[in-house]
Amino acid sequence: ISAIWGAQSIDEARAALNLFDSGPMNWTLADGKGDVGYTLAGPWPVRDWDLYDGPPWAPLDGEGGFEWTRIAPPSEALDDLRPAKGYHVDANGIMTEQNLDGDPLNDARYLQHFCDLGTRAWRMTGLIHDQLTKGAPPTLDQVAAWQGDDLSVFALDLLPPLLAQQAT
């Protein structure tokens, strides 16, 4: 892991993370040139069976046929390096665009399911977008404040009808 601390770019950091073998972890990367990104590092199991027959979160029949076929190296993980929008928002949501279709089982590689609905990422994306439309990137103080932001965009939609129902 010491190689990552000496990295001078997100590419060097990503290459250093190919040596990370302590289990998969999410990493957000940034460098002094303004490049940012997300990556998964660490070995992760490859499941070569039909995931619709045996979703990884469901109990399996125990009869065999659902074993991991290999452990994939970090270099095969999905990345979101240098996203076109210029930033990456994680917020416990979908790590990559893999699950945007709502089906975690129909891709070549299974990574995750049961992520946040995206409301936290939606809120963070909105705050970043609002700041960028002012013509300046967010400051470190703004980003630190956003970490403590507790506005729920889900509650903005849910609360009015609930309160209206309570008033009747």
Side-chain angles (χ1 to χ4, degrees):
I1 194 90
S2 62
I4 193 168
W5 305 125
Q8 297 296 306
S9 68
I10 63 171
D11 295 317
E12 287 181 19
R14 183 63 189 97
L17 286 171
N18 282 335
L19 305 173
F20 187 77
D21 65 355
S22 297
M25 293 180 66
N26 297 324
W27 291 79
T28 300
L29 306 173
D31 63 27
K33 294 180 276 187
D35 288 332
V36 297
Y38 158 85
T39 190
L40 173 71
W44 47 281
V46 174
R47 300 164 172 95
D48 284 334
W49 68 82
D50 183 344
L51 294 175
Y52 292 106
D53 289 339
W57 59 83
L60 302 173
D61 64 19
E63 300 294 321
F66 295 108
E67 281 68 42
W68 298 345
T69 53
R70 66 186 178 93
I71 300 295
S75 60
E76 291 183 23
L78 297 177
D79 293 325
D80 185 22
L81 302 179
R82 294 180 191 84
K85 62 187 172 211
Y87 59 90
H88 174 85
V89 174
D90 188 42
N92 300 325
I94 296 172
M95 296 182 292
T96 67
E97 294 184 358
Q98 176 183 9
N99 287 348
L100 290 180
D101 63 0
D103 186 351
L105 303 177
N106 67 349
D107 296 291
R109 293 180 277 183
Y110 169 81
L111 280 182
Q112 73 183 103
H113 63 282
F114 302 134
C115 2
D116 179 76
L117 294 174
T119 57
R120 178 94 174 122
W122 182 13
R123 171 71 173 156
M124 293 298 106
T125 299
L127 291 169
I128 294 167
H129 180 266
D130 290 350
Q131 179 60 34
L132 291 176
T133 58
K134 294 176 184 174
T139 66
L140 187 55
D141 287 339
Q142 284 175 307
V143 173
W146 295 343
Q147 286 292 319
D149 181 89
D150 61 1
L151 178 78
S152 168
V153 293
F154 183 65
L156 291 176
D157 286 339
L158 184 63
L159 221 49
L162 289 175
L163 292 174
Q165 185 65 30
Q166 181 184 11
T168 58

